[in-house]
Amino acid sequence: MVIYDHRQRCLYEGELKHTANGFSWLKEKIEFIKGQAGQLPEIVFEATGVYSQGLERFLK
């Protein structure tokens, strides 16, 4: 996973654990970027079958 800010600077590059703690961490990062940019970030991910379903549900 890679997170860029609204100026296209890399804020994080690494793995996202599909756990409650991992998704909570991701939510904090999304809110941080929203606060900086004034809008929700664009989120792009590769659908990998059952492996991406938890992330997809979280993002919806």
Coordinates of all heavy atoms in Angstrom, one line a residue:
M1 N 0.8 -1.2 0.0 CA 0.0 0.0 0.0 C 0.9 1.2 0.0 O 1.9 1.2 0.6 CB -0.9 0.0 1.3 CG -1.7 1.2 1.4 SD -2.7 1.1 2.9 CE -1.9 2.2 3.9
V2 N 0.5 2.3 -0.7 CA 1.2 3.5 -0.7 C 0.2 4.6 -0.5 O -0.9 4.6 -1.1 CB 1.9 3.8 -2.1 CG1 2.6 5.1 -2.1 CG2 2.8 2.6 -2.4
I3 N 0.5 5.6 0.3 CA -0.3 6.7 0.6 C 0.4 8.0 0.2 O 1.5 8.2 0.6 CB -0.7 6.8 2.1 CG1 -1.5 5.6 2.6 CG2 -1.5 8.1 2.4 CD1 -1.7 5.6 4.1
Y4 N -0.3 8.8 -0.6 CA 0.3 10.1 -1.1 C -0.6 11.2 -0.5 O -1.8 11.0 -0.4 CB 0.3 10.2 -2.6 CG 1.3 9.2 -3.3 CD1 0.8 8.0 -3.8 CD2 2.6 9.6 -3.4 CE1 1.7 7.1 -4.4 CE2 3.5 8.7 -4.0 CZ 3.0 7.5 -4.5 OH 3.9 6.6 -5.1
D5 N 0.0 12.3 -0.2 CA -0.8 13.5 0.2 C -1.3 14.2 -1.0 O -1.0 13.8 -2.2 CB 0.0 14.4 1.2 CG 1.1 15.1 0.6 OD1 1.3 15.0 -0.7 OD2 1.9 15.7 1.3
H6 N -2.0 15.3 -0.8 CA -2.6 16.1 -1.9 C -1.5 16.7 -2.8 O -1.8 17.2 -3.9 CB -3.6 17.1 -1.4 CG -3.0 18.2 -0.5 ND1 -2.6 17.9 0.8 CD2 -2.7 19.5 -0.8 CE1 -2.1 19.1 1.3 NE2 -2.1 20.0 0.4
R7 N -0.3 16.8 -2.3 CA 0.8 17.3 -3.2 C 1.6 16.2 -3.8 O 2.7 16.4 -4.4 CB 1.7 18.1 -2.3 CG 1.1 19.4 -1.7 CD 2.1 20.2 -1.0 NE 1.4 21.4 -0.5 CZ 1.4 21.7 0.8 NH1 2.1 21.0 1.7 NH2 0.8 22.8 1.2
Q8 N 1.1 15.0 -3.8 CA 1.6 13.8 -4.4 C 3.0 13.4 -3.7 O 3.8 12.8 -4.4 CB 1.7 13.9 -5.9 CG 0.4 14.0 -6.5 CD 0.4 14.1 -8.0 OE1 1.5 14.1 -8.6 NE2 -0.7 14.0 -8.6
R9 N 3.1 13.7 -2.4 CA 4.3 13.3 -1.7 C 4.0 12.0 -1.0 O 2.9 11.8 -0.5 CB 4.7 14.3 -0.6 CG 5.2 15.6 -1.2 CD 5.6 16.5 -0.1 NE 4.4 16.8 0.6 CZ 4.3 17.7 1.6 NH1 5.4 18.5 1.9 NH2 3.2 18.0 2.2
C10 N 4.9 11.0 -1.0 CA 4.6 9.7 -0.4 C 4.7 9.9 1.1 O 5.7 10.4 1.7 CB 5.7 8.7 -0.8 SG 5.4 7.1 -0.2
L11 N 3.6 9.5 1.8 CA 3.5 9.6 3.3 C 3.8 8.2 3.9 O 4.2 8.1 5.0 CB 2.1 10.0 3.7 CG 1.6 11.4 3.2 CD1 0.2 11.7 3.7 CD2 2.6 12.5 3.8
Y12 N 3.5 7.2 3.1 CA 3.7 5.8 3.7 C 3.8 4.8 2.6 O 3.0 4.9 1.6 CB 2.5 5.4 4.6 CG 2.5 4.0 5.1 CD1 3.3 3.7 6.2 CD2 1.8 3.0 4.5 CE1 3.3 2.4 6.6 CE2 1.8 1.7 4.9 CZ 2.6 1.4 6.0 OH 2.6 0.1 6.4
E13 N 4.6 3.8 2.7 CA 4.7 2.7 1.8 C 5.0 1.5 2.6 O 5.9 1.4 3.4 CB 5.8 2.9 0.8 CG 5.9 1.8 -0.2 CD 6.9 2.1 -1.4 OE1 7.4 3.2 -1.4 OE2 7.1 1.2 -2.1
G14 N 4.1 0.5 2.5 CA 4.2 -0.7 3.3 C 3.0 -1.6 3.2 O 2.2 -1.4 2.3
E15 N 2.8 -2.5 4.2 CA 1.7 -3.4 4.2 C 0.6 -2.9 5.1 O 0.8 -2.2 6.1 CB 2.1 -4.8 4.6 CG 3.1 -5.4 3.7 CD 3.4 -6.8 4.1 OE1 2.7 -7.4 4.9 OE2 4.3 -7.4 3.5
L16 N -0.6 -3.2 4.7 CA -1.8 -3.0 5.6 C -2.3 -4.3 6.1 O -2.7 -5.2 5.3 CB -2.9 -2.2 4.8 CG -4.2 -2.1 5.5 CD1 -4.1 -1.1 6.6 CD2 -5.3 -1.7 4.5
K17 N -2.4 -4.4 7.4 CA -2.9 -5.7 7.9 C -4.4 -5.6 7.9 O -5.0 -4.6 8.3 CB -2.4 -5.9 9.4 CG -0.9 -6.1 9.4 CD -0.5 -6.6 10.7 CE 1.0 -6.7 10.8 NZ 1.5 -7.9 10.3
H18 N -5.1 -6.6 7.5 CA -6.5 -6.7 7.4 C -7.1 -7.1 8.7 O -7.7 -8.2 8.9 CB -7.0 -7.6 6.3 CG -6.7 -7.1 4.9 ND1 -7.5 -7.3 3.8 CD2 -5.7 -6.3 4.4 CE1 -7.1 -6.7 2.8 NE2 -6.0 -6.1 3.1
T19 N -6.9 -6.2 9.7 CA -7.4 -6.4 11.1 C -8.1 -5.2 11.5 O -8.0 -4.1 10.8 CB -6.2 -6.7 12.0 OG1 -5.4 -5.5 12.1 CG2 -5.4 -7.9 11.6
A20 N -8.8 -5.2 12.7 CA -9.5 -4.0 13.2 C -8.4 -2.9 13.4 O -8.7 -1.8 13.1 CB -10.2 -4.4 14.5
N21 N -7.3 -3.3 14.0 CA -6.2 -2.3 14.2 C -5.7 -1.7 12.9 O -5.5 -0.5 12.8 CB -5.1 -2.8 15.0 CG -5.4 -3.0 16.4 OD1 -6.3 -2.4 17.0 ND2 -4.7 -3.9 17.1
G22 N -5.5 -2.5 11.9 CA -5.0 -2.1 10.6 C -6.0 -1.1 9.9 O -5.6 -0.1 9.4
F23 N -7.3 -1.5 9.9 CA -8.3 -0.6 9.3 C -8.5 0.7 10.1 O -8.8 1.7 9.6 CB -9.6 -1.4 9.2 CG -9.6 -2.4 8.1 CD1 -10.4 -3.6 8.2 CD2 -8.8 -2.3 7.0 CE1 -10.4 -4.6 7.2 CE2 -8.7 -3.3 6.0 CZ -9.5 -4.4 6.1
S24 N -8.4 0.6 11.4 CA -8.4 1.8 12.3 C -7.3 2.7 11.9 O -7.5 4.0 11.8 CB -8.4 1.4 13.7 OG -8.4 2.6 14.5
W25 N -6.1 2.2 11.7 CA -4.9 3.0 11.3 C -5.2 3.6 10.0 O -4.9 4.8 9.8 CB -3.7 2.1 11.3 CG -2.5 2.8 10.8 CD1 -1.6 3.4 11.6 CD2 -2.0 2.9 9.5 NE1 -0.6 3.9 10.8 CE2 -0.8 3.6 9.5 CE3 -2.4 2.4 8.3 CZ2 -0.1 3.9 8.4 CZ3 -1.7 2.7 7.1 CH2 -0.5 3.5 7.2
L26 N -5.7 2.9 9.0 CA -6.0 3.4 7.7 C -7.1 4.6 7.8 O -6.9 5.6 7.1 CB -6.5 2.3 6.8 CG -6.9 2.8 5.4 CD1 -5.7 3.4 4.6 CD2 -7.4 1.6 4.6
K27 N -8.1 4.4 8.6 CA -9.1 5.4 8.8 C -8.5 6.7 9.3 O -8.8 7.8 8.8 CB -10.2 5.0 9.7 CG -11.3 6.0 9.9 CD -12.4 5.5 10.8 CE -13.4 6.6 10.9 NZ -14.5 6.2 11.8
E28 N -7.5 6.6 10.3 CA -6.8 7.8 10.8 C -6.1 8.5 9.7 O -6.1 9.7 9.6 CB -5.9 7.4 11.9 CG -6.5 7.0 13.2 CD -5.5 6.5 14.2 OE1 -4.3 6.8 14.1 OE2 -5.9 5.8 15.1
K29 N -5.4 7.7 8.8 CA -4.6 8.3 7.7 C -5.6 9.0 6.7 O -5.2 10.1 6.2 CB -3.8 7.3 7.0 CG -2.7 6.6 7.9 CD -1.8 7.7 8.5 CE -0.9 7.0 9.5 NZ -0.4 7.9 10.5
I30 N -6.7 8.4 6.4 CA -7.7 9.0 5.5 C -8.2 10.3 6.1 O -8.3 11.3 5.4 CB -8.8 8.0 5.2 CG1 -8.3 6.8 4.4 CG2 -10.0 8.7 4.5 CD1 -9.3 5.7 4.2
E31 N -8.5 10.3 7.4 CA -9.0 11.5 8.0 C -7.9 12.6 8.0 O -8.2 13.8 7.8 CB -9.5 11.2 9.4 CG -10.7 10.4 9.4 CD -11.9 11.1 8.8 OE1 -12.1 12.3 8.9 OE2 -12.7 10.4 8.2
F32 N -6.6 12.2 8.2 CA -5.5 13.2 8.2 C -5.4 13.9 6.9 O -5.3 15.1 6.8 CB -4.2 12.5 8.6 CG -3.0 13.4 8.5 CD1 -2.7 14.3 9.5 CD2 -2.1 13.2 7.4 CE1 -1.6 15.1 9.4 CE2 -1.0 14.0 7.3 CZ -0.8 15.0 8.3
I33 N -5.5 13.0 5.8 CA -5.4 13.6 4.5 C -6.6 14.5 4.1 O -6.4 15.5 3.5 CB -5.2 12.4 3.4 CG1 -3.9 11.7 3.6 CG2 -5.3 12.9 2.0 CD1 -3.7 10.5 2.9
K34 N -7.7 14.0 4.6 CA -8.9 14.8 4.4 C -8.8 16.2 5.0 O -9.2 17.2 4.5 CB -10.2 14.1 4.9 CG -11.4 14.9 4.8 CD -12.6 14.1 5.4 CE -13.9 14.9 5.4 NZ -14.9 14.2 6.1
G35 N -8.2 16.2 6.2 CA -8.0 17.5 6.9 C -7.1 18.4 6.2 O -7.2 19.6 6.2
Q36 N -6.0 17.8 5.6 CA -5.0 18.7 4.9 C -5.6 19.2 3.6 O -5.4 20.3 3.2 CB -3.8 17.8 4.6 CG -2.9 17.6 5.8 CD -1.6 17.0 5.3 OE1 -1.5 16.2 4.4 NE2 -0.5 17.4 6.0
A37 N -6.3 18.3 2.8 CA -6.7 18.6 1.5 C -8.1 19.2 1.4 O -8.5 19.8 0.4 CB -6.6 17.4 0.6
G38 N -8.9 19.0 2.5 CA -10.3 19.5 2.5 C -11.2 18.6 1.7 O -12.4 19.0 1.5
Q39 N -10.8 17.4 1.4 CA -11.7 16.5 0.7 C -11.1 15.1 0.9 O -10.0 14.9 1.3 CB -11.8 16.7 -0.8 CG -10.5 16.6 -1.5 CD -10.6 17.0 -3.0 OE1 -11.4 17.9 -3.3 NE2 -9.7 16.5 -3.8
L40 N -12.0 14.1 0.8 CA -11.5 12.7 0.9 C -10.5 12.4 -0.2 O -10.7 12.8 -1.3 CB -12.7 11.7 0.8 CG -13.6 11.7 2.1 CD1 -14.9 10.9 1.8 CD2 -12.9 11.1 3.2
P41 N -9.6 11.5 0.1 CA -8.6 11.2 -0.9 C -9.2 10.2 -1.9 O -10.2 9.5 -1.6 CB -7.5 10.5 -0.1 CG -8.2 10.0 1.1 CD -9.2 11.0 1.4
E42 N -8.6 10.1 -3.0 CA -9.0 9.1 -4.0 C -8.3 7.8 -3.6 O -7.1 7.8 -3.3 CB -8.6 9.5 -5.4 CG -8.9 8.6 -6.5 CD -8.6 9.1 -7.9 OE1 -8.4 10.3 -8.1 OE2 -8.5 8.2 -8.8
I43 N -9.1 6.7 -3.6 CA -8.5 5.4 -3.2 C -8.6 4.5 -4.3 O -9.6 4.3 -4.9 CB -9.3 4.9 -2.0 CG1 -9.1 5.9 -0.8 CG2 -8.8 3.5 -1.6 CD1 -9.9 5.5 0.4
V44 N -7.5 3.9 -4.7 CA -7.4 2.9 -5.8 C -6.7 1.7 -5.2 O -5.7 1.7 -4.5 CB -6.5 3.5 -6.9 CG1 -6.4 2.5 -8.0 CG2 -7.0 4.8 -7.4
F45 N -7.3 0.5 -5.5 CA -6.7 -0.7 -5.1 C -7.1 -1.8 -6.1 O -8.0 -1.7 -6.8 CB -7.1 -1.1 -3.7 CG -8.6 -1.6 -3.5 CD1 -8.9 -2.9 -3.5 CD2 -9.5 -0.6 -3.3 CE1 -10.2 -3.3 -3.3 CE2 -10.9 -1.0 -3.1 CZ -11.2 -2.4 -3.1
E46 N -6.2 -2.8 -6.1 CA -6.4 -3.9 -7.0 C -7.3 -5.0 -6.3 O -7.0 -5.4 -5.2 CB -5.1 -4.6 -7.4 CG -5.2 -5.7 -8.3 CD -3.8 -6.3 -8.7 OE1 -2.8 -5.7 -8.3 OE2 -3.8 -7.3 -9.3
A47 N -8.4 -5.3 -7.0 CA -9.3 -6.3 -6.4 C -8.6 -7.7 -6.6 O -8.2 -8.1 -7.7 CB -10.6 -6.3 -7.2
T48 N -8.4 -8.4 -5.5 CA -7.7 -9.6 -5.5 C -8.6 -10.7 -5.0 O -8.2 -11.5 -4.1 CB -6.4 -9.6 -4.7 OG1 -6.7 -9.1 -3.4 CG2 -5.4 -8.7 -5.3
G49 N -9.8 -10.8 -5.4 CA -10.8 -11.8 -5.0 C -11.1 -11.7 -3.5 O -11.3 -10.6 -3.0
V50 N -11.1 -12.8 -2.9 CA -11.5 -12.9 -1.5 C -10.5 -12.1 -0.6 O -10.9 -11.6 0.5 CB -11.6 -14.3 -0.9 CG1 -12.7 -15.1 -1.6 CG2 -10.3 -15.0 -1.0
Y51 N -9.3 -11.9 -1.0 CA -8.3 -11.2 -0.2 C -8.6 -9.7 -0.1 O -8.2 -9.0 0.8 CB -6.9 -11.4 -0.8 CG -6.5 -12.8 -0.9 CD1 -6.4 -13.5 -2.1 CD2 -6.2 -13.5 0.3 CE1 -6.1 -14.8 -2.1 CE2 -5.9 -14.8 0.3 CZ -5.8 -15.5 -0.9 OH -5.5 -16.8 -1.0
S52 N -9.3 -9.1 -1.1 CA -9.6 -7.7 -1.0 C -11.0 -7.4 -0.5 O -11.3 -6.2 -0.3 CB -9.4 -7.1 -2.4 OG -10.3 -7.6 -3.3
Q53 N -11.8 -8.4 -0.2 CA -13.2 -8.1 0.2 C -13.3 -7.4 1.5 O -14.1 -6.5 1.6 CB -13.9 -9.5 0.2 CG -14.2 -10.0 -1.2 CD -14.9 -11.4 -1.1 OE1 -15.1 -11.9 0.0 NE2 -15.4 -11.8 -2.2
G54 N -12.5 -7.7 2.4 CA -12.5 -7.0 3.7 C -12.2 -5.5 3.6 O -12.9 -4.7 4.1
L55 N -11.2 -5.2 2.8 CA -10.8 -3.8 2.5 C -11.9 -3.1 1.8 O -12.3 -2.0 2.1 CB -9.5 -3.7 1.7 CG -9.1 -2.3 1.3 CD1 -8.8 -1.5 2.5 CD2 -7.8 -2.4 0.5
E56 N -12.5 -3.8 0.8 CA -13.6 -3.2 0.0 C -14.8 -2.8 0.9 O -15.4 -1.8 0.8 CB -14.0 -4.1 -1.1 CG -15.1 -3.5 -2.0 CD -15.4 -4.4 -3.2 OE1 -14.9 -5.6 -3.3 OE2 -16.3 -4.0 -4.0
R57 N -15.2 -3.8 1.8 CA -16.3 -3.5 2.7 C -15.9 -2.4 3.7 O -16.8 -1.5 3.9 CB -16.5 -4.8 3.6 CG -17.4 -5.8 2.9 CD -17.9 -6.9 3.8 NE -16.8 -7.6 4.5 CZ -16.2 -8.7 4.0 NH1 -16.5 -9.1 2.8 NH2 -15.2 -9.2 4.7
F58 N -14.7 -2.3 4.2 CA -14.3 -1.2 5.0 C -14.4 0.1 4.3 O -14.9 1.1 4.9 CB -12.9 -1.4 5.5 CG -12.3 -0.2 6.2 CD1 -12.6 0.1 7.5 CD2 -11.4 0.6 5.5 CE1 -12.1 1.2 8.1 CE2 -10.8 1.7 6.1 CZ -11.2 2.0 7.4
L59 N -14.0 0.2 3.1 CA -14.0 1.5 2.3 C -15.4 1.9 2.0 O -15.6 3.1 1.9 CB -13.1 1.3 1.1 CG -11.6 1.2 1.4 CD1 -10.9 0.9 0.1 CD2 -11.0 2.4 2.0
K60 N -16.3 1.0 1.8 CA -17.7 1.4 1.5 C -18.3 2.0 2.7 O -19.1 2.8 2.7 CB -18.4 0.2 1.0 CG -18.1 -0.2 -0.4 CD -18.9 -1.4 -0.9 CE -18.6 -1.7 -2.3 NZ -19.4 -2.8 -2.8

